[in-house]
Amino acid sequence: MAAPQPWRLCVVALSVVICCSVFHSARASLVSATKRRQLQQCTGPQNIPTLQPIVTHAPVIDLKWLDKNDQTVIAQTKKTDVDVGGLWLSKDGAATWVEKSQALNDTIKAAEPVQIIATFNQKSSPAKLVLLGVGTYIWQSNDYGNTFTARQTPTKWKGSGIKSMKMHPWRDNWLLVLVKRPDCRSLDHAQMECPHDLMLTQDLFGSMTWTNLTYNAGGKVAGFVDFDWAANLCPFKNCPDHVQVADETVFATMYARPGDYDQPWDPDVNFVVSNNFFRDLNTHVRCGNMFELVGHSVYLAFANSCPVNIDGGGRHESDFAKGITLYTSTDGGNAFVQACLPVALKQEGYELMETHDGTGAIVIVDFLIDNGFMDIPASSVYTAGPHHALFSLSLTDVYRADFGFSTDFARIEGLPGVYIANQMVARPVDDVDDYYDLSDSSGKPLVESRITFNGGGLWQRIPAPSYFNNPKCNRCSGSTTSCWLHLNGMSAWDSMSSTLPSVYSNPSAPGLIMATGNVAPTGLGLDDDLDGTCTWLSSDGGVSWSDVGEGAYIYEYADWGSTIIMARHPGNKGTVADEIRFSIDYGRCWVSIPLFTALVVDNIRIEPDGQRPRVVVHGKACRRSSNPNCSYLANDTRTSVQGIMYMVDVQQLMGTKMGQCASTDYEMFSIPTSRLDKTPACTLGKQMMIQRRGQDKLCFNGPDYKRPIPLNTTCNCTQADVECDYGFLRNGGKCSPLPKERMPHCPTLESGSYHVSKIGKRLVHADVCEGVQNIIPDTDGKGTRTDGGDDSGGGGRKHSALFGFFMFMLVSAVLLGIFFSWWRFLATESHKDSVRDVASLLVSLCVGAYYWVVEKIRGRPSGIQEHDLGYFQPLGEVPEQEAGIFTLK
């Protein structure tokens, strides 16, 4: 190629300079216009008055709205580290409050301390209220809490001994309570649990007569372990035709002899069903322990140490000697099918999460990663596709804090298929290896956030915003690598040490997601030092994000999502709040409300539907060493602090600036394809358009607003609509089979009722795309063959393999017989020496080949050797042809 002429280089250089100048000028104009537009949109009410506090003797721990107009509110308070609390009542939507603690005390003549642990009010008659105390007393009111009468529990069981309680979903007067037997004094919790009775009342808001279902059983039950109303299979009376449950039907797990319940997964605990409150009961599954009702199905943990199988017959050797096996039932607990997971459920535990459509389940399995120095708690997420019993690994090494109670896995409400999780990966060492395993790392793991828009079929990192409102939130300034956003999950909110607000969404506010967290370049992750912690908001379902507060804030949505309220959260530093902020344009601009008294904020609460632009901010008093507007002097030494509440009514603050929305004030929202491409994305096989108020419209939806049913347009099937099926694992863009010899027994496949595609892919749960044959050639993506072959769930291939193995053994036996005869009768000593030399050479070659293969495997881990599937994870993005398991694309 000829060298370019110098004058041509000058022209090119000049063109580049001119283009760059035009670009920067246009960019500056765009930024300036954006700032001007933001300033124009930020015009709010003038001279906002300072909010006055409501002071309580102890901090508020819970609030409950009673009437449909949300005017009657009760607040429970509790002194710090003391089982003493109180009750407050508001009749004007939380604007003013009256204390009712003394009224409760008067009804029992101060026989025991007053502390409320639960409140119930009747849906059909909301003026009727019941309060359960921590002791032996229960209070009733028929006039919204103006007056109370007290009742003592039968057998004097205590509220502090309640393990769980559940209202009937259809009968608003029926309550079941699982409570510790009052005469039990457990001497050794490791070897013996106190027996629990199941108490029933069918007139909670009336005479409140209690029946002990243990006594009802007439000696057949020594104690209950778990329970639920069968009606919770379909709480809205939307059960499929094949699921028939009566109002009185109760599911439970129990043991028949005292002392039998003495270990976590106990073979002496059985799953039973009763239709007449245990005067009669049917044992449906021996050794059935804990259970959950999820997606119209019963998910039951079966103890692997059971002497019989789930049908009561002779026990075959278990796939796993310890732990449990999960079973599912779709017919109301009558027949169970083994849930097939490619991993053993150990004693670390598991939890279930319902899918967005309410018909499926996600299993989150806890396990420990041993790196030789410590046990790292982690979880793996398994999703079921079209079949309720076939689970495949969606994401592993999900973060679970040492002192937290939850796994960092969040379902984004109102947006089917969208989830956010935090995944642990080993920190890179000198950028030597792209692939590594947490068990090989001696340091603290890196925690990175992931998001999926297709129900867990594909996970990806969350890109950091390209523009920051608060410069301190930009921790990637000057970095040459990609920048990512990492968000705190539920383990941060449920932590026993310090708390941080986690990923939060609400179906009343479609598209809005808020969280605390930080951005970081590749190689760094979610920090716990709070230096870079900021508060983040997405208004498009998690595609793009913006920083809306420097530091940690607590947040809530109001008026069906048109209004956002937030206040400073203390986090690890004990930061106090002296203002409350609100936004009426999806977080683009914020208005500050000054507070008369600063406080340490605990939470922001709103009535259950989130339908009014009015919230309650509550917390506790602080010392003036933190803020001059705090209640207490800097040297105040009191241990019991006051509670502080603020009612924030945004509609009242805005006055006449915002009226009622008209039909022209609404937009149709959908998740965009990307940050730059606002074309509606296809999620779960459809474009879903949801009505919400436009960002620039200054109006309120109002409490009577009814959001129309979303408009859905079906999409053609793509790779985004499929995930790896049971027995397969994502490997770049393909699904690679797991070793069959390490896969557990799976009756659903062996029975031929479900067929796994040859390419190992299936439709994601609830996906409705069209043209699945263009993606999966041999099945309909739901377990039915479409290629005309034998629909036997893979059994045909097993018979072919067995026949081939038999023929191989037969031919080998014949050849060995011929060789033995030749060696015994015909071979000379010279012939035998030659054979020995050849055999020695072959053995050497085989040993060398073995070590060559081992070295190759060690140099490129396949990721399918760990029993708990703690697979190797790539740190950065790699070419697809070199991509390993769970490559992030």
Side-chain angles (χ1 to χ4, degrees):
M1 181 182 293
Q5 298 295 325
W7 66 269
R8 290 182 178 176
L9 290 176
C10 292
V11 170
V12 171
L14 182 61
S15 301
V16 170
V17 171
I18 293 174
C19 289
C20 289
S21 301
V22 171
F23 170 77
H24 284 292
S25 175
R27 184 178 183 275
S29 300
L30 179 61
V31 171
S32 176
T34 301
K35 290 183 177 179
R36 287 197 301 271
R37 183 169 65 250
Q38 289 181 342
L39 289 174
Q40 292 170 1
Q41 291 294 334
C42 283
T43 55
Q46 302 297 320
N47 302 319
I48 296 180
T50 300
L51 284 184
Q52 298 297 315
I54 298 100
V55 180
T56 58
H57 298 304
V60 171
I61 59 172
D62 198 14
L63 293 121
K64 189 176 183 68
W65 282 257
L66 303 182
D67 62 326
K68 68 176 183 178
N69 294 320
D70 303 316
Q71 292 298 298
T72 307
V73 193
I74 57 172
Q76 299 169 224
T77 63
K78 181 183 181 298
K79 291 186 178 181
T80 307
D81 300 326
V82 181
D83 287 338
V84 177
L87 186 74
W88 293 70
L89 174 67
S90 174
K91 296 183 179 180
D92 56 6
T96 61
W97 294 82
V98 175
E99 186 176 12
K100 305 297 290 185
S101 308
Q102 189 59 48
L104 299 180
N105 261 314
D106 291 344
T107 60
I108 63 174
K109 299 180 180 179
E112 59 188 33
V114 171
Q115 181 192 337
I116 307 304
I117 62 170
T119 62
F120 301 93
N121 75 303
Q122 194 169 21
K123 292 180 181 179
S124 60
S125 181
K128 294 182 178 181
L129 178 68
V130 167
L131 310 176
L132 267 65
V134 71
T136 62
Y137 283 95
I138 301 175
W139 291 269
Q140 287 179 300
S141 174
N142 294 320
D143 54 8
Y144 286 113
N146 287 310
T147 60
F148 288 95
T149 57
R151 296 176 181 272
Q152 201 162 26
T153 62
T155 69
K156 295 186 179 181
W157 53 263
K158 294 183 178 181
S160 60
I162 293 176
K163 186 176 181 179
S164 61
M165 47 191 165
K166 296 182 180 180
M167 289 288 299
H168 196 287
W170 309 336
R171 302 289 193 114
D172 64 1
N173 220 8
W174 292 13
L175 176 68
L176 282 172
V177 177
L178 185 63
V179 61
K180 185 173 73 173
R181 197 166 297 162
D183 58 354
C184 175
R185 299 291 184 270
S186 180
L187 299 178
D188 185 356
H189 289 284
Q191 297 297 326
M192 184 187 76
E193 284 283 342
C194 273
H196 284 69
D197 292 321
L198 191 57
M199 307 298 298
L200 165 72
T201 178
Q202 294 175 274
D203 193 13
L204 178 64
F205 302 99
S207 61
M208 200 188 295
T209 302
W210 291 92
T211 302
N212 189 333
L213 301 189
T214 308
Y215 297 158
N216 254 20
K220 290 175 286 189
V221 174
F224 287 91
V225 177
D226 198 6
F227 77 97
D228 206 341
W229 295 103
N232 276 322
L233 282 169
C234 28
F236 305 107
K237 296 190 175 182
N238 57 343
C239 269
D241 293 338
H242 63 276
V243 179
Q244 300 294 327
V245 294
D247 291 7
E248 297 83 1
T249 304
V250 176
F251 297 147
T253 54
M254 44 67 67
Y255 52 98
R257 296 184 302 273
D260 273 356
Y261 183 42
D262 54 8
Q263 55 182 300
W265 305 114
D266 200 312
D268 295 317
V269 174
N270 304 315
F271 176 78
V272 299
V273 180
S274 177
N275 297 314
N276 57 6
F277 300 124
F278 293 91
R279 287 186 291 273
D280 298 295
L281 59 88
N282 296 312
T283 300
H284 283 218
V285 179
R286 277 192 62 183
C287 310
N289 280 232
M290 308 299 288
F291 69 95
E292 292 289 340
L293 306 185
V294 179
H296 304 320
S297 300
V298 183
Y299 288 81
L300 175 66
F302 175 82
N304 284 341
S305 56
C306 191
V308 299
N309 62 30
I310 195 167
D311 298 320
R315 179 73 164 149
H316 296 291
E317 184 177 354
S318 174
D319 289 317
F320 305 99
K322 297 181 180 180
I324 61 169
T325 301
L326 192 64
Y327 283 83
T328 73
S329 170
T330 59
D331 63 354
N334 292 308
F336 283 85
V337 176
Q338 180 181 329
C340 298
L341 290 92
V343 65
L345 296 180
K346 303 177 184 178
Q347 293 195 16
E348 279 77 21
Y350 71 97
E351 57 185 296
L352 294 167
M353 177 182 288
E354 196 169 67
T355 54
H356 288 86
D357 64 349
T359 65
I362 295 170
V363 180
I364 303 171
V365 180
D366 300 336
F367 62 95
L368 296 174
I369 301 172
D370 181 9
N371 66 359
F373 297 89
M374 68 182 102
D375 286 334
I376 303 173
S379 300
S380 288
V381 176
Y382 297 88
T383 57
H387 195 285
H388 67 97
L390 294 178
F391 291 86
S392 61
L393 183 60
S394 174
L395 190 67
T396 191
D397 294 343
V398 180
Y399 181 68
R400 182 165 57 95
D402 289 323
F403 299 105
F405 298 101
S406 301
T407 298
D408 281 1
F409 187 84
R411 182 181 65 192
I412 303 306
E413 304 298 341
L415 298 177
V418 183
Y419 299 85
I420 293 178
N422 283 330
Q423 186 182 41
M424 295 182 292
V425 295
R427 295 180 184 272
V429 180
D430 300 327
D431 296 328
V432 172
D433 296 320
D434 287 331
Y435 297 88
Y436 47 84
D437 186 49
L438 277 178
S439 61
D440 298 328
S441 172
S442 59
K444 183 179 179 181
L446 194 68
V447 179
E448 298 182 336
S449 291
R450 311 279 190 251
I451 190 169
T452 178
F453 296 98
N454 69 333
L458 183 66
W459 292 87
Q460 60 194 39
R461 289 183 172 94
I462 304 175
S466 56
Y467 170 81
F468 292 86
N469 298 309
N470 301 280
K472 288 186 178 180
C473 297
N474 182 7
R475 300 188 68 193
C476 292
S477 180
S479 174
T480 58
T481 62
S482 299
C483 189
W484 310 103
L485 176 61
H486 307 293
L487 306 172
N488 284 301
M490 281 304 296
S491 64
W493 182 244
D494 286 344
S495 175
M496 293 177 62
S497 52
S498 58
T499 64
L500 279 170
S502 61
V503 173
Y504 176 62
S505 60
N506 194 299
S508 70
L512 299 185
I513 313 172
M514 294 191 74
T516 60
N518 60 272
V519 299
T522 300
L524 297 176
L526 184 66
D527 289 338
D528 53 7
D529 59 8
L530 294 183
D531 288 343
T533 296
C534 289
T535 302
W536 307 87
L537 167 69
S538 174
S539 61
D540 59 6
V543 175
S544 62
W545 295 78
S546 62
D547 56 305
V548 294
E550 183 182 320
Y553 282 75
I554 185 72
Y555 23 77
E556 185 55 272
Y557 314 118
D559 187 48
W560 306 103
S562 77
T563 305
I564 307 172
I565 297 99
M566 68 179 190
R568 284 302 297 261
H569 188 270
N572 301 21
K573 298 182 177 181
T575 307
V576 302
D578 56 10
E579 66 171 2
I580 296 172
R581 299 180 183 180
F582 72 87
S583 173
I584 53 176
D585 59 1
Y586 301 144
R588 186 160 58 188
C589 299
W590 295 85
V591 178
S592 176
I593 312 168
L595 304 178
F596 183 81
T597 302
L599 75 162
V600 178
V601 175
D602 289 329
N603 209 344
I604 302 177
R605 296 292 305 278
I606 192 170
E607 34 76 29
D609 296 328
Q611 60 187 10
R612 301 178 189 276
R614 185 172 62 212
V615 301
V616 175
V617 180
H618 66 85
K620 56 183 74 74
C622 53
R623 292 178 174 83
R624 291 174 190 167
S625 56
S626 301
N627 188 291
N629 292 333
C630 287
S631 304
Y632 300 150
L633 296 175
N635 59 355
D636 196 301
T637 58
R638 73 186 75 191
T639 57
S640 180
V641 298
Q642 294 175 329
I644 295 177
M645 283 191 289
Y646 286 98
M647 193 276 286
V648 183
D649 191 332
V650 177
Q651 188 169 18
Q652 186 181 63
L653 292 171
M654 293 300 296
T656 59
K657 290 182 178 290
M658 293 180 65
Q660 186 77 23
C661 290
S663 59
T664 55
D665 293 320
Y666 291 96
E667 66 179 10
M668 297 304 292
F669 161 76
S670 66
I671 297 175
T673 299
S674 69
R675 290 192 293 181
L676 299 178
D677 184 359
K678 301 304 179 182
T679 304
C682 289
T683 57
L684 298 185
K686 62 181 181 294
Q687 292 176 335
M688 186 173 69
M689 310 292 290
I690 308 172
Q691 187 190 79
R692 70 180 186 184
R693 197 210 63 186
Q695 185 177 34
D696 298 323
K697 305 299 183 181
L698 297 180
C699 61
F700 289 111
N701 292 296
D704 298 326
Y705 171 70
K706 303 294 182 185
R707 198 182 308 277
I709 298 174
L711 300 177
N712 296 322
T713 302
T714 306
C715 303
N716 291 326
C717 292
T718 67
Q719 293 297 332
D721 297 295
V722 297
E723 64 183 357
C724 295
D725 211 334
Y726 176 79
F728 287 79
L729 197 67
R730 183 173 292 280
N731 189 358
K734 299 180 180 180
C735 293
S736 299
L738 293 168
K740 289 185 178 180
E741 64 273 12
R742 302 197 58 143
M743 294 298 294
H745 169 65
C746 184
T748 299
L749 295 184
E750 294 170 3
S751 68
S753 59
Y754 185 95
H755 188 90
V756 176
S757 169
K758 294 178 181 178
I759 64 172
K761 294 183 178 180
R762 69 185 181 195
L763 285 173
V764 175
H765 175 83
D767 196 289
V768 295
C769 69
E770 293 181 341
V772 68
Q773 68 276 7
N774 298 321
I775 305 297
I776 304 176
D778 55 342
T779 77
D780 64 352
K782 301 178 182 180
T784 301
R785 293 194 64 158
T786 58
D787 60 355
D790 175 30
D791 191 11
S792 58
R797 293 196 306 273
K798 290 183 180 179
H799 289 303
S800 298
L802 182 62
F803 178 75
F805 177 74
F806 173 77
M807 292 302 297
F808 169 77
M809 293 299 295
L810 180 62
V811 172
S812 298
V814 171
L815 291 176
L816 284 173
I818 294 173
F819 176 80
F820 178 78
S821 299
W822 173 79
W823 181 275
R824 179 73 176 81
F825 300 107
L826 299 177
T828 65
E829 195 61 35
S830 175
H831 291 155
K832 291 180 180 180
D833 289 338
S834 299
V835 171
R836 292 188 185 101
D837 292 340
V838 172
S840 177
L841 177 61
L842 288 175
V843 169
S844 300
L845 289 174
C846 290
V847 170
Y850 167 77
Y851 283 109
W852 180 84
V853 171
V854 168
E855 289 302 317
K856 287 296 182 181
I857 292 175
R858 287 176 178 173
R860 182 181 177 83
S862 65
I864 51 178
Q865 303 300 317
E866 295 296 323
H867 181 63
D868 56 16
L869 302 187
Y871 292 146
F872 295 88
Q873 305 293 322
L875 173 65
E877 313 232 353
V878 296
E880 183 166 333
Q881 65 269 20
E882 300 177 9
I885 295 168
F886 292 123
T887 299
L888 301 173
K889 289 291 180 183

